[in-house]
Amino acid sequence: MSRQVLCLASLLFLTSANAIRTHFVFWNTTNPIFRLDNTDNVIDVNEGNLPWEYNQLNLICPQNSAEQHVIYSVSQEEYDSCRVNNQRPKIVAICNKPETFQYFTITFRNFSPTPGGLEFKPGQNYYLIS
């Protein structure tokens, strides 16, 4: 059985929604956001939020399919090449249970209450690939 390597990528752009918003991305090969001819894969978060407000992104894993993904937070260079070069990459999510509903929430804020957690600075770009 041949193994197909798939590069799914999404660009997250942080700026400094008038209300708390949750974004949903279905992380699978059938999502049009991941088509090679689609350049509209930017999600603006925390746009116009007050200091105590933040947005969240729910990464919805594939369900009832053979797809499995490890989702990484990467540099722009890694995103552009769709290749993880870092010896110790930052894993955001592991989608490896297609028989069950699985999702991962990323919270966009300047600090993380979890040691080693993701932190997001306003005006910066952040990139995810698998």
Side-chain angles (χ1 to χ4, degrees), residues 105-121:
T105 301
I106 298 174
T107 301
F108 296 97
R109 53 184 159 201
N110 287 333
F111 66 92
S112 172
T114 307
L118 296 171
E119 295 181 348
F120 300 93
K121 305 298 179 201

Side-chain angles (χ1 to χ4, degrees), residues 2 11 16 23 36 40 42 52 62 74 77-78 83 91 97 103 106-107 110 112-113 116 119-121 126:
S2 67
L11 164 67
S16 347
H23 305 271
L36 292 176
D40 186 26
V42 176
W52 58 86
V74 298
E77 178 184 326
E78 291 171 310
R83 182 177 303 263
I91 296 174
K97 297 178 182 168
Y103 72 97
I106 298 174
T107 301
N110 287 333
S112 172
E119 295 181 348
F120 300 93
K121 305 298 179 201
Y126 295 89

Side-chain angles (χ1 to χ4, degrees), residues 12-109:
L12 303 173
F13 178 71
L14 290 183
T15 61
S16 347
N18 292 332
I20 304 288
R21 280 186 49 184
T22 301
H23 305 271
F24 299 89
V25 173
F26 290 84
W27 199 277
N28 59 54
T29 56
T30 59
N31 188 337
I33 195 173
F34 298 124
R35 287 182 27 179
L36 292 176
D37 62 344
N38 183 2
T39 58
D40 186 26
N41 54 5
V42 176
I43 299 171
D44 293 324
V45 296
N46 290 352
E47 193 169 66
N49 282 6
L50 297 171
W52 58 86
E53 295 178 322
Y54 56 86
N55 291 165
Q56 292 183 318
L57 172 69
N58 285 334
L59 298 172
I60 314 295
C61 295
Q63 189 176 5
N64 299 322
S65 82
E67 291 185 53
Q68 295 189 27
H69 301 281
V70 177
I71 304 169
Y72 300 94
S73 176
V74 298
S75 68
Q76 182 178 356
E77 178 184 326
E78 291 171 310
Y79 171 82
D80 289 341
S81 68
C82 198
R83 182 177 303 263
V84 178
N85 298 322
N86 190 330
Q87 294 291 335
R88 298 184 65 191
K90 184 160 288 266
I91 296 174
V92 173
I94 299 176
C95 294
N96 63 352
K97 297 178 182 168
E99 68 281 353
T100 62
F101 178 73
Q102 189 179 21
Y103 72 97
F104 296 88
T105 301
I106 298 174
T107 301
F108 296 97
R109 53 184 159 201

